[in-house]
């Protein structure tokens, strides 16, 4: 019985180590690489990977490499929105929104969409109504382009080659070469911008929220109607947004006691 319990505990630990490794790596692993990294015998890791893939915790990309599956993303989103961090997270967003005077929030990447995961609305009567849970395209939004700027070149090129670049607003970038250059510029500045590319009359900017390894975990955004703020005026709040992004990053990474 004791041996069975140790074996069960060992299997659980191995599964968690696999999930952790796949979720934190910037470059997808193969099963062989993961076996070597975690010192798990190949027969064991193949069995565990098959179980994880069947349960949608991981998936295999076109190159046979291991990437997070839908359920792993759900866990990450759940951690971010859990009551443990909700009060502190919304306090940071409220403070930022009050200083900028515009709607601020957090978006998460999900395939070819960004999801509005949490936000604090401005008190102005005139505002852009995009409720929490809204899905927005990655190619023409500040957070979406910021996310694309963090991808390896080959993966980015594959996405852009197959991504429909429909004109949604007056300044939507529909030329792949122009969009590629815009994304390259964002990779240098580390601030995503949307100058009426998603919705006519709206501008936005976005700052990365990083996990403890320095990888993009989520995006902190602010958007405004141009009748109230131009894009340069919104970008003037970049220092405040970066400070808030660091606070949110620390909050996500902390192991402190729950907040109520």
């Amino acid at each position: 019985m004791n041996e069975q319990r140790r074996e069960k505990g060992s299997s659980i630990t191995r599964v968690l180590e696999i999930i952790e490794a796949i979720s934190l790596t910037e470059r997808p692993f193969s099963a062989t690489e993961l076996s070597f990294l975690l010192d798990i015998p190949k027969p064991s890791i193949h069995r565990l990977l098959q179980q994880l893939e069947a349960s949608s915790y991981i998936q295999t990309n076109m190159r046979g490499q291991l990437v997070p599956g839908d359920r792993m993303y759900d866990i990450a989103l759940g951690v971010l929105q859990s009551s443990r961090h909700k009060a502190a997270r919304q306090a940071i967003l409220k403070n930022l929104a009050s200083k900028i005077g515009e709607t601020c929030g957090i978006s998460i990447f999900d395939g070819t969409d960004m999801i509005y995961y949490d936000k604090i609305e401005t008190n102005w009567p005139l505002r852009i109504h995009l409720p929490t849970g809204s899905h927005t395209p990655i190619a023409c939004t500040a957070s979406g382009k910021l996310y694309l700027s963090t991808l390896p070149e080959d993966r980015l090129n594959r996405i852009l080659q197959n991504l429909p670049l429909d004109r949604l607003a007056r300044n939507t970038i529909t030329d792949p070469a122009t969009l590629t250059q815009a994304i390259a510029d964002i990779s240098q500045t580390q601030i995503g911008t949307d100058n009426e590319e998603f919705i006519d009359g709206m501008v936005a900017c976005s700052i990365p929220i990083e996990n403890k390894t320095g990888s993009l975990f989520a995006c902190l955004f602010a958007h405004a109607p141009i009748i109230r703020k131009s894009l340069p005026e919104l970008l003037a709040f970049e220092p405040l947004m970066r400070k808030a992004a660091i606070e949110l990053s620390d909050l996500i990474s902390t192991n402190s006691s729950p907040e109520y």
Side-chain angles (χ1 to χ4, degrees):
M1 180 66 69
N2 289 338
E3 290 182 0
Q4 290 178 346
R5 287 178 179 175
R6 282 199 297 271
E7 177 60 29
K8 183 177 181 181
S10 175
S11 296
I12 291 172
T13 300
R14 286 175 172 178
V15 166
L16 293 175
E17 288 175 345
I18 290 170
I19 290 175
E20 180 182 34
I22 293 174
S23 66
L24 295 179
T25 183
E26 294 184 7
R27 179 185 64 82
F29 290 121
S30 67
T32 300
E33 290 172 323
L34 204 57
S35 173
F36 177 78
L37 176 70
L38 300 178
D39 192 24
I40 300 175
K42 287 184 180 180
S44 297
I45 202 162
H46 280 291
R47 173 176 54 81
L48 294 171
L49 290 174
Q50 287 173 358
Q51 293 172 352
L52 287 170
E53 187 165 9
S55 301
S56 299
Y57 285 105
I58 65 171
Q59 57 188 355
T60 305
N61 65 17
M62 291 184 293
R63 295 187 173 185
Q65 297 166 319
L66 304 165
V67 295
D70 291 340
R71 293 183 72 177
M72 195 183 295
Y73 280 117
D74 290 342
I75 291 172
L77 298 179
V79 169
L80 184 62
Q81 197 173 18
S82 68
S83 59
R84 176 179 182 177
H85 300 306
K86 187 173 183 180
R89 183 181 69 247
Q90 291 199 338
I92 294 170
L93 290 177
K94 283 182 179 180
N95 182 51
L96 182 64
S98 68
K99 291 178 178 177
I100 296 179
E102 302 295 345
T103 296
C104 296
I106 297 170
S107 60
I108 303 290
F109 45 90
D110 180 27
T112 57
D113 289 341
M114 299 298 294
I115 302 175
Y116 272 41
Y117 204 71
D118 198 1
K119 68 188 183 78
I120 298 296
E121 294 274 11
T122 177
N123 290 323
W124 293 102
L126 176 63
R127 57 191 180 187
I128 308 296
H129 182 61
L130 289 167
T132 300
S134 295
H135 285 242
T136 61
I138 58 174
C140 59
T141 55
S143 294
K145 290 190 292 178
L146 178 62
Y147 162 62
L148 288 172
S149 75
T150 67
L151 299 180
E153 185 178 357
D154 59 341
R155 185 178 171 194
L156 173 63
N157 290 337
R158 287 199 303 273
I159 291 174
L160 295 184
Q161 286 170 5
N162 295 284
L163 193 66
L165 300 180
D166 300 322
R167 183 172 296 282
L168 300 180
R170 68 188 71 181
N171 292 332
T172 304
I173 301 174
T174 57
D175 175 58
T178 304
L179 180 57
T180 299
Q181 183 58 55
I183 293 169
D185 293 340
I186 290 172
S187 71
Q188 297 299 315
T189 63
Q190 288 292 287
I191 180 167
T193 57
D194 167 7
N195 188 20
E196 295 189 84
E197 298 167 45
F198 175 42
I199 297 175
D200 285 329
M202 185 185 86
V203 294
C205 60
S206 184
I207 299 292
I209 301 172
E210 298 177 338
N211 62 19
K212 61 183 179 182
T213 67
S215 299
L216 182 71
F217 180 84
C219 300
L220 173 64
F221 68 82
H223 63 62
I226 58 172
I227 195 171
R228 195 160 56 237
K229 280 187 179 67
S230 65
L231 182 57
E233 289 173 328
L234 196 59
L235 288 171
F237 293 96
E238 177 185 351
L240 285 177
M241 293 185 68
R242 292 204 184 275
K243 181 176 181 295
I246 292 172
E247 292 174 348
L248 289 166
S249 178
D250 291 342
L251 184 64
I252 292 165
S253 300
T254 186
N255 290 316
S256 60
S257 58
E259 299 186 37
Y260 300 96

